[in-house]
Amino acid sequence: MAPWWSRAVFYQAYPRSFADSNGDGVGDLDGITDRLDYLADLGVQALWLNPVMVSPMADHGYDVSDPRDIDPLFGDLPALDRLVDAAHARGIKVTMDLVPNHVSSAHPWFVKALADPSRRDRFIFRDGVGADGSAPPNNWVSIFGGPAWTQVDDGQWYLHLFDSAQPDLNWEHPEVFDDIEKTLRFWLERGVDGFRIDVAHGMAKPPTLPDMDLSENELLRNKANDPRFDNDAVHDIHRFIRTVLDDYPDAVTVGEIWVHGNERFARYLRPDELHLGFNFQLVQADFEAEGIRAAIDNSLEAAALAGAAPTWTLSNHDVPREVSRYGDGSVGLRRARAMALVKLALPGAVFIYNGAELGLPNVELPDEVLQDPVWERSGRTERGRDGCRVPLPWKGSEPPFGFSSSSETWLPMPADWGPLTVEAQLRDPDSTLVLYRRAIKLRTGRSEFSGDTVQWLDDSTFRRPSGLVCTFNAGVAPKALPDGEVLLTSGPLADGRLPPDTAAWLV
Ligand code: GLC
């Protein structure tokens, strides 16, 4: 039988933003536990939690100072146990984020490394270049902007591909391997069902640390021949992680993999490496038939090359929300709803970023509330990712919309989100939330959604082998529907035809 994750619908909860149980304005683990019935009613089979380990929060949890404990902002270990138990009681698996490329500069290893130059070998420290060593060891830039090297008091430099508070680990050091094994087992033994692996294409660095081509730098992208990423030695690390995971046969790993080309991507999904890999083709495609079709074919091909299940996502905590990407306002929303049906019609695992099921737009936040390190590191030229991380609106007519008992939410919530709350959407049979619920229920319950392939009937209509047909209209005029019984549409039909910016499922 196919493993549970190969066709699961995962819900990505960004813990800061999902629900706040203790009134500090920041979401937490008990907030998620309290609302598990919401996720059960949505029909998802698994949860992915962005990092909840101990962290100074320079990058909101992606800077981990203790990988085997929960940050007090989110709760404690008993709170995680409560969440896992309550999720399992509802048939929902729980996966966590694992951050192996770097740790926090507050991690005890790094604190020791700073204090004592003889204890630096678990990180990537180098002398500077130039007569007085005052220039960084190479020209690498940080993904968040600025140089990828920071100089310490005694003159040496350390590498950080992200923020300076996120020093990269030296994955040639055996203790780094031992420690990740401890971390994996720690959570798996507590009943966690797997991990989303952050920057799975990072970790290994070329021994000579050659200069990069500076024209190639782009936030969260990877071009061919970028020496910072996708070095072949990374696969030994994934094989190591897999040997640990194999002791827990039902557990899954899904890697965040930004690499150049399907062949490089597929390497990460070989039978002794990761189970699943995020493929971001659909996130990058505009709402345009040819591009969407190409993204789907490409992702299917990449997964097929490795014999792995494909994965689909329209958004996550790093990219602008789909409603805004597709044009914002009612057009953006209609397109996002259409794309929800497209993604939920596809074979493989589907990831829903919290709030996508409510059709939330990206939020234009004022400069003074921005928190993403990208903002400062880019010299305030890139606004960063806060706009897709605004807390979820649950009920009521004004901020904080039931997210928290405090009106001081960690990012301000737009005053006009009343119609977008869960409460309001549950009252409206045509809401995005109801659409998602119906779609997930059909996807999970109906036999027409089985099979691993798709056959294109035209450039915006595909068929699953067991009978589901999904068609979308990215054009400007209504189009005829294919033959069959209509199961669901993302918006009303017009005289039996499919209007622009709409999708339909038929059997
Ligand atoms: C990944 C995460 C992102 C984080 C970065 C550094 O790309 O998705 O949110 O900032 O890694 O850990």
Side-chain angles (χ1 to χ4, degrees):
M1 210 179 90
W4 65 267
W5 38 261
S6 67
R7 42 190 301 197
V9 179
F10 284 77
Y11 186 87
Q12 177 190 355
Y14 193 68
R16 296 180 83 84
S17 302
F18 186 73
D20 172 22
S21 73
N22 64 357
D24 64 358
V26 182
D28 46 45
L29 290 174
D30 282 339
I32 301 174
T33 307
D34 291 345
R35 303 207 187 242
L36 280 172
D37 284 335
Y38 170 75
L39 298 180
D41 291 343
L42 186 58
V44 302
Q45 288 95 43
L47 248 178
W48 151 32
L49 306 174
N50 288 94
V52 290
M53 293 88 169
V54 181
S55 164
M57 305 287 164
D59 186 21
H60 293 333
Y62 284 98
D63 49 319
V64 178
S65 54
D66 181 354
R68 294 182 287 278
D69 203 352
I70 299 291
D71 194 275
L73 191 63
F74 297 126
D76 51 17
L77 288 169
L80 181 85
D81 295 341
R82 285 194 293 277
L83 170 55
V84 170
D85 289 347
H88 286 172
R90 289 165 178 79
I92 298 174
K93 307 271 188 186
V94 180
T95 64
M96 296 177 88
D97 227 300
L98 184 81
V99 190
N101 180 69
H102 44 265
V103 294
S104 161
S105 51
H107 188 290
W109 285 0
F110 195 73
V111 173
K112 285 191 189 113
L114 281 188
D116 178 357
S118 74
R119 311 209 46 190
R120 293 189 170 164
D121 50 355
R122 287 175 296 207
F123 298 93
I124 303 175
F125 275 86
R126 293 286 186 277
D127 292 331
V129 297
D132 54 356
S134 64
N138 70 18
N139 72 348
W140 290 7
V141 287
S142 146
I143 296 291
F144 291 164
W149 296 92
T150 290
Q151 193 170 27
V152 301
D153 286 347
D154 53 48
Q156 275 211 312
W157 298 76
Y158 68 90
L159 178 70
H160 51 87
L161 292 184
F162 294 88
D163 191 67
S164 55
Q166 294 167 296
D168 278 48
L169 286 164
N170 171 18
W171 273 94
E172 283 172 25
H173 198 295
E175 280 176 34
V176 174
F177 282 82
D178 294 347
D179 197 71
I180 203 88
E181 174 168 4
K182 258 167 109 179
T183 300
L184 291 166
R185 292 194 193 277
F186 180 85
W187 299 110
L188 290 165
E189 290 295 333
R190 290 195 104 85
V192 164
D193 301 290
F195 302 93
R196 176 264 190 188
I197 300 195
D198 190 57
V199 201
H201 54 301
M203 298 185 274
K205 311 290 180 315
T208 59
L209 300 176
D211 278 350
M212 64 181 285
D213 175 352
L214 286 173
S215 64
E216 299 280 276
N217 195 41
E218 205 185 322
L219 184 69
L220 304 179
R221 294 282 183 284
N222 192 238
K223 304 277 172 63
N225 307 321
D226 181 336
R228 299 171 301 170
F229 295 107
D230 196 25
N231 288 287
D232 285 342
V234 73
H235 296 289
D236 293 335
I237 303 169
H238 288 300
R239 287 191 194 97
F240 177 80
I241 291 175
R242 182 60 178 264
T243 58
V244 179
L245 263 284
D246 281 345
D247 286 343
Y248 306 82
D250 231 17
V252 65
T253 50
V254 48
E256 180 201 26
I257 309 171
W258 292 96
V259 295
H260 190 77
N262 288 343
E263 193 273 330
R264 299 296 300 183
F265 180 85
R267 291 174 183 226
Y268 289 78
L269 302 178
R270 288 178 285 202
D272 56 350
E273 299 194 37
L274 294 161
H275 296 102
L276 295 173
F278 278 116
N279 186 313
F280 299 105
Q281 304 267 346
L282 215 48
V283 171
Q284 289 166 297
D286 291 336
F287 189 78
E288 177 263 314
E290 229 174 80
I292 293 167
R293 177 176 176 169
I296 291 173
D297 282 345
N298 213 278
S299 306
L300 288 170
E301 183 195 298
L305 272 177
T311 67
W312 309 99
T313 187
L314 295 174
S315 49
N316 61 33
H317 63 292
D318 290 328
V319 297
R321 287 188 174 278
E322 56 266 43
V323 169
S324 302
R325 287 203 319 270
Y326 297 142
D328 250 326
S330 58
V331 171
L333 179 62
R334 281 206 304 279
R335 292 175 175 174
R337 290 169 58 116
M339 287 305 291
L341 291 201
V342 170
K343 117 179 134 169
L344 285 163
L346 289 163
V350 176
F351 289 77
I352 298 169
Y353 175 50
N354 61 191
E357 80 281 15
L358 301 177
L360 297 184
N362 232 57
V363 179
E364 276 302 324
L365 293 162
D367 292 2
E368 60 277 11
V369 305
L370 295 181
Q371 304 195 16
D372 187 345
V374 167
W375 176 234
E376 291 299 336
R377 287 198 63 87
S378 68
R380 304 196 164 195
T381 56
E382 302 239 13
R383 302 188 67 74
R385 302 158 294 174
D386 296 308
C388 69
R389 298 173 176 178
V390 171
L392 262 56
W394 291 92
K395 61 178 189 199
S397 54
E398 53 188 55
F401 298 110
F403 163 74
S404 170
S405 58
S406 164
S407 56
E408 298 292 304
T409 52
W410 75 278
L411 287 172
M413 302 175 70
D416 63 357
W417 271 12
L420 293 174
T421 63
V422 171
E423 182 184 55
Q425 298 207 30
L426 287 178
R427 281 197 301 258
D428 173 5
D430 297 325
S431 69
T432 305
L433 177 57
V434 171
L435 176 72
Y436 260 90
R437 282 189 178 198
R438 294 172 65 194
I440 294 171
K441 195 161 176 221
L442 290 167
R443 173 187 166 91
T444 312
R446 299 224 17 165
S447 59
E448 293 91 343
F449 287 76
S450 57
D452 294 335
T453 52
V454 308
Q455 179 202 352
W456 289 93
L457 305 182
D458 62 44
D459 68 0
S460 49
T461 307
F462 61 85
R463 187 180 182 281
R464 300 279 298 273
S466 41
L468 174 79
V469 172
C470 175
T471 184
F472 60 95
N473 187 349
V476 291
K479 71 171 200 179
L481 282 173
D483 290 340
E485 173 205 341
V486 176
L487 276 187
L488 187 61
T489 62
S490 66
L493 297 178
D495 296 326
R497 293 163 73 82
L498 190 70
D501 306 327
T502 310
W505 286 354
L506 302 97
V507 290

